[in-house]
């Protein structure tokens, strides 16, 4: 699981290059991959990384029903949330929780 998480995070970082300009960040291709495709890769890899964090934390390090529900809730809210500013906060909460638990 740690290697899967590392590969997912590397993919998230690589596909998220040039996100600092949110209005034009996905208009230009990077490494021959168009903006729309990079966004899709970024989102899929982020969700995969979050699920790995969730499962690793509650299955191996801290088996707790409340933690399981909280992690699941964060991942579901991240997927369904339309506001980017809230999604960014949730990303950091999931990452910080995982690093604290593991």
């Amino acid at each position: 699981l740690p290697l899967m998480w590392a590969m997912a995070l590397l993919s998230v970082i690589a596909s998220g290059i040039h996100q600092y300009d949110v209005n034009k960040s996905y208009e230009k291709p990077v490494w021959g991959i168009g903006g729309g495709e990079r966004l899709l890769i970024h989102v899929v890899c982020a969700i995969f990384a979050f699920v790995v964090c969730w499962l690793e934390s509650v299955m191996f390090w801290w088996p707790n029903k409340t933690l399981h529900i909280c992690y699941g809730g964060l991942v579901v809210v991240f997927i369904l949330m339309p506001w980017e500013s809230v999604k960014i906060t949730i990303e950091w909460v999931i990452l910080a929780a995982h690093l604290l638990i593991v």
Side-chain angles (χ1 to χ4, degrees):
L1 280 176
L3 287 175
M4 289 173 52
W5 187 60
M7 289 187 303
L9 282 183
L10 181 63
S11 300
V12 168
I13 292 168
S15 63
I17 290 176
H18 301 285
Q19 279 190 344
Y20 51 85
D21 182 7
V22 293
N23 294 325
K24 299 177 184 172
S25 62
Y26 287 109
E27 291 179 3
K28 299 176 186 170
V30 174
W31 299 325
I33 302 172
E37 292 84 11
R38 256 188 17 255
L39 178 61
L40 178 64
I41 292 168
H42 184 74
V43 170
V44 168
C45 289
I47 291 171
F48 180 73
F50 294 158
V51 170
V52 170
C53 286
W54 172 20
L55 295 178
E56 181 183 11
S57 297
V58 300
M59 288 182 167
F60 296 114
W61 298 106
W62 194 7
N64 184 332
K65 190 175 187 177
T66 304
L67 180 66
H68 188 61
I69 291 169
C70 289
Y71 251 116
L74 283 172
V75 172
V76 168
V77 168
F78 176 81
I79 292 169
L80 300 177
M81 180 61 60
W83 303 308
E84 283 300 315
S85 59
V86 176
K87 281 183 147 182
I88 291 169
T89 304
I90 292 172
E91 288 175 2
W92 285 104
V93 167
I94 291 172
L95 179 64
H98 179 76
L99 293 176
L100 287 172
I101 292 167
V102 173

PDB file of all heavy atoms in Angstrom, residues 1-3 5 49-63 67 71 93-102:
ATOM      1  N   LEU A   1       0.802  -1.214   0.000  1.00  0.00           N
ATOM      2  CA  LEU A   1       0.000   0.000   0.000  1.00  0.00           C
ATOM      3  C   LEU A   1       0.841   1.273   0.000  1.00  0.00           C
ATOM      4  O   LEU A   1       0.477   2.215  -0.697  1.00  0.00           O
ATOM      5  CB  LEU A   1      -0.955  -0.001   1.195  1.00  0.00           C
ATOM      6  CG  LEU A   1      -2.225  -0.825   1.032  1.00  0.00           C
ATOM      7  CD1 LEU A   1      -3.031  -0.829   2.323  1.00  0.00           C
ATOM      8  CD2 LEU A   1      -3.069  -0.370  -0.108  1.00  0.00           C
ATOM      9  N   PRO A   2       1.936   1.342   0.748  1.00  0.00           N
ATOM     10  CA  PRO A   2       2.740   2.565   0.687  1.00  0.00           C
ATOM     11  C   PRO A   2       3.267   2.860  -0.719  1.00  0.00           C
ATOM     12  O   PRO A   2       3.319   4.017  -1.129  1.00  0.00           O
ATOM     13  CB  PRO A   2       3.877   2.312   1.674  1.00  0.00           C
ATOM     14  CG  PRO A   2       3.320   1.351   2.646  1.00  0.00           C
ATOM     15  CD  PRO A   2       2.428   0.455   1.833  1.00  0.00           C
ATOM     16  N   LEU A   3       3.663   1.818  -1.458  1.00  0.00           N
ATOM     17  CA  LEU A   3       4.144   2.040  -2.819  1.00  0.00           C
ATOM     18  C   LEU A   3       3.016   2.497  -3.737  1.00  0.00           C
ATOM     19  O   LEU A   3       3.217   3.353  -4.608  1.00  0.00           O
ATOM     20  CB  LEU A   3       4.791   0.774  -3.374  1.00  0.00           C
ATOM     21  CG  LEU A   3       6.160   0.427  -2.784  1.00  0.00           C
ATOM     22  CD1 LEU A   3       6.646  -0.908  -3.323  1.00  0.00           C
ATOM     23  CD2 LEU A   3       7.156   1.515  -3.068  1.00  0.00           C
ATOM     24  N   TRP A   5       0.433   4.210  -2.776  1.00  0.00           N
ATOM     25  CA  TRP A   5       0.162   5.586  -2.388  1.00  0.00           C
ATOM     26  C   TRP A   5       1.207   6.529  -2.977  1.00  0.00           C
ATOM     27  O   TRP A   5       0.889   7.599  -3.491  1.00  0.00           O
ATOM     28  CB  TRP A   5       0.118   5.691  -0.867  1.00  0.00           C
ATOM     29  CG  TRP A   5      -0.314   7.019  -0.361  1.00  0.00           C
ATOM     30  CD1 TRP A   5      -1.510   7.635  -0.602  1.00  0.00           C
ATOM     31  CD2 TRP A   5       0.418   7.900   0.481  1.00  0.00           C
ATOM     32  NE1 TRP A   5      -1.556   8.845   0.050  1.00  0.00           N
ATOM     33  CE2 TRP A   5      -0.385   9.030   0.719  1.00  0.00           C
ATOM     34  CE3 TRP A   5       1.678   7.841   1.061  1.00  0.00           C
ATOM     35  CZ2 TRP A   5       0.032  10.088   1.509  1.00  0.00           C
ATOM     36  CZ3 TRP A   5       2.093   8.895   1.849  1.00  0.00           C
ATOM     37  CH2 TRP A   5       1.272  10.001   2.068  1.00  0.00           C
ATOM     38  N   ALA A  49      -5.461   7.973  -4.519  1.00  0.00           N
ATOM     39  CA  ALA A  49      -4.562   8.207  -3.377  1.00  0.00           C
ATOM     40  C   ALA A  49      -5.359   8.363  -2.086  1.00  0.00           C
ATOM     41  O   ALA A  49      -4.958   7.855  -1.035  1.00  0.00           O
ATOM     42  CB  ALA A  49      -3.705   9.453  -3.626  1.00  0.00           C
ATOM     43  N   PHE A  50      -6.493   9.053  -2.135  1.00  0.00           N
ATOM     44  CA  PHE A  50      -7.319   9.236  -0.942  1.00  0.00           C
ATOM     45  C   PHE A  50      -7.900   7.914  -0.463  1.00  0.00           C
ATOM     46  O   PHE A  50      -7.953   7.652   0.740  1.00  0.00           O
ATOM     47  CB  PHE A  50      -8.440  10.229  -1.197  1.00  0.00           C
ATOM     48  CG  PHE A  50      -7.964  11.627  -1.459  1.00  0.00           C
ATOM     49  CD1 PHE A  50      -8.759  12.520  -2.140  1.00  0.00           C
ATOM     50  CD2 PHE A  50      -6.718  12.049  -1.037  1.00  0.00           C
ATOM     51  CE1 PHE A  50      -8.328  13.805  -2.381  1.00  0.00           C
ATOM     52  CE2 PHE A  50      -6.271  13.338  -1.277  1.00  0.00           C
ATOM     53  CZ  PHE A  50      -7.087  14.222  -1.951  1.00  0.00           C
ATOM     54  N   VAL A  51      -8.320   7.075  -1.386  1.00  0.00           N
ATOM     55  CA  VAL A  51      -8.869   5.771  -1.000  1.00  0.00           C
ATOM     56  C   VAL A  51      -7.776   4.895  -0.380  1.00  0.00           C
ATOM     57  O   VAL A  51      -8.014   4.207   0.613  1.00  0.00           O
ATOM     58  CB  VAL A  51      -9.545   5.080  -2.206  1.00  0.00           C
ATOM     59  CG1 VAL A  51      -9.891   3.639  -1.895  1.00  0.00           C
ATOM     60  CG2 VAL A  51     -10.801   5.853  -2.616  1.00  0.00           C
ATOM     61  N   VAL A  52      -6.566   4.951  -0.934  1.00  0.00           N
ATOM     62  CA  VAL A  52      -5.450   4.197  -0.347  1.00  0.00           C
ATOM     63  C   VAL A  52      -5.163   4.703   1.070  1.00  0.00           C
ATOM     64  O   VAL A  52      -4.968   3.912   1.997  1.00  0.00           O
ATOM     65  CB  VAL A  52      -4.193   4.262  -1.244  1.00  0.00           C
ATOM     66  CG1 VAL A  52      -2.982   3.704  -0.520  1.00  0.00           C
ATOM     67  CG2 VAL A  52      -4.427   3.512  -2.537  1.00  0.00           C
ATOM     68  N   CYS A  53      -5.143   6.030   1.254  1.00  0.00           N
ATOM     69  CA  CYS A  53      -4.950   6.601   2.603  1.00  0.00           C
ATOM     70  C   CYS A  53      -6.019   6.092   3.554  1.00  0.00           C
ATOM     71  O   CYS A  53      -5.732   5.683   4.681  1.00  0.00           O
ATOM     72  CB  CYS A  53      -5.039   8.129   2.556  1.00  0.00           C
ATOM     73  SG  CYS A  53      -3.646   8.953   1.852  1.00  0.00           S
ATOM     74  N   TRP A  54      -7.239   6.145   3.113  1.00  0.00           N
ATOM     75  CA  TRP A  54      -8.392   5.736   3.914  1.00  0.00           C
ATOM     76  C   TRP A  54      -8.250   4.271   4.324  1.00  0.00           C
ATOM     77  O   TRP A  54      -8.325   3.930   5.503  1.00  0.00           O
ATOM     78  CB  TRP A  54      -9.642   6.001   3.105  1.00  0.00           C
ATOM     79  CG  TRP A  54     -10.934   5.497   3.629  1.00  0.00           C
ATOM     80  CD1 TRP A  54     -11.245   5.145   4.906  1.00  0.00           C
ATOM     81  CD2 TRP A  54     -12.117   5.295   2.870  1.00  0.00           C
ATOM     82  NE1 TRP A  54     -12.551   4.746   4.979  1.00  0.00           N
ATOM     83  CE2 TRP A  54     -13.108   4.834   3.747  1.00  0.00           C
ATOM     84  CE3 TRP A  54     -12.442   5.469   1.536  1.00  0.00           C
ATOM     85  CZ2 TRP A  54     -14.401   4.535   3.322  1.00  0.00           C
ATOM     86  CZ3 TRP A  54     -13.726   5.191   1.123  1.00  0.00           C
ATOM     87  CH2 TRP A  54     -14.690   4.727   2.007  1.00  0.00           C
ATOM     88  N   LEU A  55      -8.047   3.403   3.351  1.00  0.00           N
ATOM     89  CA  LEU A  55      -8.002   1.969   3.646  1.00  0.00           C
ATOM     90  C   LEU A  55      -6.773   1.596   4.475  1.00  0.00           C
ATOM     91  O   LEU A  55      -6.876   0.786   5.398  1.00  0.00           O
ATOM     92  CB  LEU A  55      -8.048   1.171   2.346  1.00  0.00           C
ATOM     93  CG  LEU A  55      -9.353   1.316   1.555  1.00  0.00           C
ATOM     94  CD1 LEU A  55      -9.274   0.529   0.262  1.00  0.00           C
ATOM     95  CD2 LEU A  55     -10.550   0.907   2.380  1.00  0.00           C
ATOM     96  N   GLU A  56      -5.621   2.174   4.159  1.00  0.00           N
ATOM     97  CA  GLU A  56      -4.423   1.857   4.929  1.00  0.00           C
ATOM     98  C   GLU A  56      -4.574   2.300   6.382  1.00  0.00           C
ATOM     99  O   GLU A  56      -4.227   1.566   7.312  1.00  0.00           O
ATOM    100  CB  GLU A  56      -3.199   2.539   4.313  1.00  0.00           C
ATOM    101  CG  GLU A  56      -1.925   2.233   5.063  1.00  0.00           C
ATOM    102  CD  GLU A  56      -0.724   2.949   4.515  1.00  0.00           C
ATOM    103  OE1 GLU A  56      -0.872   3.862   3.678  1.00  0.00           O
ATOM    104  OE2 GLU A  56       0.382   2.587   4.941  1.00  0.00           O
ATOM    105  N   SER A  57      -5.121   3.490   6.585  1.00  0.00           N
ATOM    106  CA  SER A  57      -5.257   4.016   7.951  1.00  0.00           C
ATOM    107  C   SER A  57      -6.206   3.184   8.792  1.00  0.00           C
ATOM    108  O   SER A  57      -5.900   2.849   9.934  1.00  0.00           O
ATOM    109  CB  SER A  57      -5.748   5.464   7.908  1.00  0.00           C
ATOM    110  OG  SER A  57      -4.802   6.283   7.275  1.00  0.00           O
ATOM    111  N   VAL A  58      -7.356   2.829   8.231  1.00  0.00           N
ATOM    112  CA  VAL A  58      -8.356   2.127   9.045  1.00  0.00           C
ATOM    113  C   VAL A  58      -8.179   0.614   9.050  1.00  0.00           C
ATOM    114  O   VAL A  58      -8.731  -0.057   9.920  1.00  0.00           O
ATOM    115  CB  VAL A  58      -9.794   2.487   8.625  1.00  0.00           C
ATOM    116  CG1 VAL A  58     -10.046   3.955   8.780  1.00  0.00           C
ATOM    117  CG2 VAL A  58     -10.105   2.030   7.227  1.00  0.00           C
ATOM    118  N   MET A  59      -7.435   0.059   8.116  1.00  0.00           N
ATOM    119  CA  MET A  59      -7.246  -1.391   8.111  1.00  0.00           C
ATOM    120  C   MET A  59      -5.988  -1.826   8.852  1.00  0.00           C
ATOM    121  O   MET A  59      -5.976  -2.887   9.460  1.00  0.00           O
ATOM    122  CB  MET A  59      -7.192  -1.912   6.678  1.00  0.00           C
ATOM    123  CG  MET A  59      -8.496  -1.895   5.968  1.00  0.00           C
ATOM    124  SD  MET A  59      -8.273  -2.601   4.339  1.00  0.00           S
ATOM    125  CE  MET A  59      -9.950  -2.847   3.858  1.00  0.00           C
ATOM    126  N   PHE A  60      -4.934  -1.029   8.766  1.00  0.00           N
ATOM    127  CA  PHE A  60      -3.658  -1.457   9.329  1.00  0.00           C
ATOM    128  C   PHE A  60      -3.241  -0.695  10.573  1.00  0.00           C
ATOM    129  O   PHE A  60      -2.735  -1.273  11.512  1.00  0.00           O
ATOM    130  CB  PHE A  60      -2.553  -1.346   8.275  1.00  0.00           C
ATOM    131  CG  PHE A  60      -2.761  -2.255   7.110  1.00  0.00           C
ATOM    132  CD1 PHE A  60      -3.003  -1.738   5.854  1.00  0.00           C
ATOM    133  CD2 PHE A  60      -2.732  -3.624   7.260  1.00  0.00           C
ATOM    134  CE1 PHE A  60      -3.211  -2.571   4.769  1.00  0.00           C
ATOM    135  CE2 PHE A  60      -2.936  -4.467   6.193  1.00  0.00           C
ATOM    136  CZ  PHE A  60      -3.174  -3.941   4.943  1.00  0.00           C
ATOM    137  N   TRP A  61      -3.411   0.612  10.564  1.00  0.00           N
ATOM    138  CA  TRP A  61      -2.808   1.411  11.615  1.00  0.00           C
ATOM    139  C   TRP A  61      -3.749   1.737  12.766  1.00  0.00           C
ATOM    140  O   TRP A  61      -3.341   1.759  13.917  1.00  0.00           O
ATOM    141  CB  TRP A  61      -2.242   2.707  11.025  1.00  0.00           C
ATOM    142  CG  TRP A  61      -1.187   2.418  10.035  1.00  0.00           C
ATOM    143  CD1 TRP A  61      -1.292   2.517   8.678  1.00  0.00           C
ATOM    144  CD2 TRP A  61       0.132   1.934  10.276  1.00  0.00           C
ATOM    145  NE1 TRP A  61      -0.122   2.131   8.077  1.00  0.00           N
ATOM    146  CE2 TRP A  61       0.773   1.774   9.037  1.00  0.00           C
ATOM    147  CE3 TRP A  61       0.839   1.628  11.441  1.00  0.00           C
ATOM    148  CZ2 TRP A  61       2.070   1.320   8.928  1.00  0.00           C
ATOM    149  CZ3 TRP A  61       2.148   1.192  11.318  1.00  0.00           C
ATOM    150  CH2 TRP A  61       2.742   1.038  10.082  1.00  0.00           C
ATOM    151  N   TRP A  62      -4.990   2.049  12.468  1.00  0.00           N
ATOM    152  CA  TRP A  62      -5.915   2.429  13.534  1.00  0.00           C
ATOM    153  C   TRP A  62      -7.320   1.939  13.186  1.00  0.00           C
ATOM    154  O   TRP A  62      -8.156   2.704  12.730  1.00  0.00           O
ATOM    155  CB  TRP A  62      -5.900   3.942  13.711  1.00  0.00           C
ATOM    156  CG  TRP A  62      -6.545   4.443  14.957  1.00  0.00           C
ATOM    157  CD1 TRP A  62      -7.027   3.723  15.995  1.00  0.00           C
ATOM    158  CD2 TRP A  62      -6.790   5.802  15.287  1.00  0.00           C
ATOM    159  NE1 TRP A  62      -7.540   4.538  16.944  1.00  0.00           N
ATOM    160  CE2 TRP A  62      -7.411   5.831  16.542  1.00  0.00           C
ATOM    161  CE3 TRP A  62      -6.540   7.007  14.646  1.00  0.00           C
ATOM    162  CZ2 TRP A  62      -7.796   7.009  17.162  1.00  0.00           C
ATOM    163  CZ3 TRP A  62      -6.917   8.181  15.252  1.00  0.00           C
ATOM    164  CH2 TRP A  62      -7.534   8.173  16.504  1.00  0.00           C
ATOM    165  N   PRO A  63      -7.600   0.651  13.396  1.00  0.00           N
ATOM    166  CA  PRO A  63      -8.928   0.120  13.074  1.00  0.00           C
ATOM    167  C   PRO A  63      -9.978   0.706  14.016  1.00  0.00           C
ATOM    168  O   PRO A  63     -10.054   0.325  15.182  1.00  0.00           O
ATOM    169  CB  PRO A  63      -8.787  -1.383  13.247  1.00  0.00           C
ATOM    170  CG  PRO A  63      -7.398  -1.657  13.638  1.00  0.00           C
ATOM    171  CD  PRO A  63      -6.696  -0.373  13.860  1.00  0.00           C
ATOM    172  N   LEU A  67     -13.228   6.528  12.774  1.00  0.00           N
ATOM    173  CA  LEU A  67     -12.239   6.988  11.804  1.00  0.00           C
ATOM    174  C   LEU A  67     -12.624   6.530  10.397  1.00  0.00           C
ATOM    175  O   LEU A  67     -12.492   7.288   9.433  1.00  0.00           O
ATOM    176  CB  LEU A  67     -10.851   6.462  12.167  1.00  0.00           C
ATOM    177  CG  LEU A  67      -9.724   6.862  11.229  1.00  0.00           C
ATOM    178  CD1 LEU A  67      -9.482   8.363  11.296  1.00  0.00           C
ATOM    179  CD2 LEU A  67      -8.464   6.103  11.572  1.00  0.00           C
ATOM    180  N   TYR A  71     -13.160   9.213   7.416  1.00  0.00           N
ATOM    181  CA  TYR A  71     -12.387   9.149   6.172  1.00  0.00           C
ATOM    182  C   TYR A  71     -13.312   8.969   4.975  1.00  0.00           C
ATOM    183  O   TYR A  71     -13.159   9.646   3.957  1.00  0.00           O
ATOM    184  CB  TYR A  71     -11.402   7.986   6.203  1.00  0.00           C
ATOM    185  CG  TYR A  71      -9.969   8.398   6.326  1.00  0.00           C
ATOM    186  CD1 TYR A  71      -9.230   8.053   7.444  1.00  0.00           C
ATOM    187  CD2 TYR A  71      -9.335   9.101   5.321  1.00  0.00           C
ATOM    188  CE1 TYR A  71      -7.907   8.411   7.566  1.00  0.00           C
ATOM    189  CE2 TYR A  71      -8.011   9.458   5.428  1.00  0.00           C
ATOM    190  CZ  TYR A  71      -7.300   9.112   6.553  1.00  0.00           C
ATOM    191  OH  TYR A  71      -5.990   9.463   6.661  1.00  0.00           O
ATOM    192  N   VAL A  93      -6.568  17.982   4.635  1.00  0.00           N
ATOM    193  CA  VAL A  93      -7.045  17.284   5.839  1.00  0.00           C
ATOM    194  C   VAL A  93      -6.803  15.780   5.699  1.00  0.00           C
ATOM    195  O   VAL A  93      -6.327  15.124   6.637  1.00  0.00           O
ATOM    196  CB  VAL A  93      -8.538  17.587   6.098  1.00  0.00           C
ATOM    197  CG1 VAL A  93      -9.123  16.654   7.139  1.00  0.00           C
ATOM    198  CG2 VAL A  93      -8.723  19.041   6.512  1.00  0.00           C
ATOM    199  N   ILE A  94      -7.113  15.221   4.528  1.00  0.00           N
ATOM    200  CA  ILE A  94      -6.900  13.790   4.298  1.00  0.00           C
ATOM    201  C   ILE A  94      -5.416  13.460   4.392  1.00  0.00           C
ATOM    202  O   ILE A  94      -5.022  12.491   5.049  1.00  0.00           O
ATOM    203  CB  ILE A  94      -7.481  13.361   2.933  1.00  0.00           C
ATOM    204  CG1 ILE A  94      -9.013  13.442   2.968  1.00  0.00           C
ATOM    205  CG2 ILE A  94      -7.027  11.953   2.563  1.00  0.00           C
ATOM    206  CD1 ILE A  94      -9.668  13.224   1.626  1.00  0.00           C
ATOM    207  N   LEU A  95      -4.572  14.269   3.758  1.00  0.00           N
ATOM    208  CA  LEU A  95      -3.137  14.024   3.805  1.00  0.00           C
ATOM    209  C   LEU A  95      -2.589  14.152   5.227  1.00  0.00           C
ATOM    210  O   LEU A  95      -1.842  13.287   5.689  1.00  0.00           O
ATOM    211  CB  LEU A  95      -2.411  14.995   2.878  1.00  0.00           C
ATOM    212  CG  LEU A  95      -0.896  14.864   2.835  1.00  0.00           C
ATOM    213  CD1 LEU A  95      -0.484  13.511   2.282  1.00  0.00           C
ATOM    214  CD2 LEU A  95      -0.288  15.983   2.025  1.00  0.00           C
ATOM    215  N   ALA A  96      -2.971  15.193   5.940  1.00  0.00           N
ATOM    216  CA  ALA A  96      -2.481  15.395   7.303  1.00  0.00           C
ATOM    217  C   ALA A  96      -2.951  14.277   8.239  1.00  0.00           C
ATOM    218  O   ALA A  96      -2.167  13.770   9.045  1.00  0.00           O
ATOM    219  CB  ALA A  96      -2.958  16.745   7.837  1.00  0.00           C
ATOM    220  N   ALA A  97      -4.208  13.868   8.096  1.00  0.00           N
ATOM    221  CA  ALA A  97      -4.720  12.771   8.931  1.00  0.00           C
ATOM    222  C   ALA A  97      -3.939  11.495   8.670  1.00  0.00           C
ATOM    223  O   ALA A  97      -3.565  10.766   9.603  1.00  0.00           O
ATOM    224  CB  ALA A  97      -6.203  12.566   8.682  1.00  0.00           C
ATOM    225  N   HIS A  98      -3.679  11.219   7.407  1.00  0.00           N
ATOM    226  CA  HIS A  98      -2.929  10.004   7.074  1.00  0.00           C
ATOM    227  C   HIS A  98      -1.520  10.043   7.661  1.00  0.00           C
ATOM    228  O   HIS A  98      -1.061   9.058   8.250  1.00  0.00           O
ATOM    229  CB  HIS A  98      -2.857   9.839   5.554  1.00  0.00           C
ATOM    230  CG  HIS A  98      -2.089   8.635   5.132  1.00  0.00           C
ATOM    231  ND1 HIS A  98      -2.611   7.364   5.218  1.00  0.00           N
ATOM    232  CD2 HIS A  98      -0.840   8.496   4.643  1.00  0.00           C
ATOM    233  CE1 HIS A  98      -1.714   6.500   4.798  1.00  0.00           C
ATOM    234  NE2 HIS A  98      -0.630   7.159   4.435  1.00  0.00           N
ATOM    235  N   LEU A  99      -0.852  11.177   7.519  1.00  0.00           N
ATOM    236  CA  LEU A  99       0.510  11.276   8.038  1.00  0.00           C
ATOM    237  C   LEU A  99       0.541  11.205   9.564  1.00  0.00           C
ATOM    238  O   LEU A  99       1.473  10.643  10.135  1.00  0.00           O
ATOM    239  CB  LEU A  99       1.167  12.564   7.544  1.00  0.00           C
ATOM    240  CG  LEU A  99       1.422  12.602   6.029  1.00  0.00           C
ATOM    241  CD1 LEU A  99       1.982  13.955   5.617  1.00  0.00           C
ATOM    242  CD2 LEU A  99       2.352  11.485   5.591  1.00  0.00           C
ATOM    243  N   LEU A 100      -0.458  11.741  10.234  1.00  0.00           N
ATOM    244  CA  LEU A 100      -0.524  11.655  11.693  1.00  0.00           C
ATOM    245  C   LEU A 100      -0.796  10.227  12.169  1.00  0.00           C
ATOM    246  O   LEU A 100      -0.211   9.772  13.152  1.00  0.00           O
ATOM    247  CB  LEU A 100      -1.587  12.591  12.242  1.00  0.00           C
ATOM    248  CG  LEU A 100      -1.249  14.073  12.212  1.00  0.00           C
ATOM    249  CD1 LEU A 100      -2.475  14.900  12.605  1.00  0.00           C
ATOM    250  CD2 LEU A 100      -0.091  14.371  13.146  1.00  0.00           C
ATOM    251  N   ILE A 101      -1.663   9.531  11.473  1.00  0.00           N
ATOM    252  CA  ILE A 101      -2.030   8.181  11.879  1.00  0.00           C
ATOM    253  C   ILE A 101      -0.912   7.192  11.572  1.00  0.00           C
ATOM    254  O   ILE A 101      -0.581   6.336  12.386  1.00  0.00           O
ATOM    255  CB  ILE A 101      -3.344   7.744  11.199  1.00  0.00           C
ATOM    256  CG1 ILE A 101      -4.498   8.580  11.749  1.00  0.00           C
ATOM    257  CG2 ILE A 101      -3.600   6.259  11.378  1.00  0.00           C
ATOM    258  CD1 ILE A 101      -5.771   8.458  10.949  1.00  0.00           C
ATOM    259  N   VAL A 102      -0.340   7.306  10.404  1.00  0.00           N
ATOM    260  CA  VAL A 102       0.704   6.367   9.992  1.00  0.00           C
ATOM    261  C   VAL A 102       2.015   6.781  10.605  1.00  0.00           C
ATOM    262  O   VAL A 102       2.793   6.032  11.052  1.00  0.00           O
ATOM    263  CB  VAL A 102       0.796   6.306   8.454  1.00  0.00           C
ATOM    264  CG1 VAL A 102       1.968   5.475   8.003  1.00  0.00           C
ATOM    265  CG2 VAL A 102      -0.482   5.774   7.870  1.00  0.00           C
TER     266      VAL A 102
END
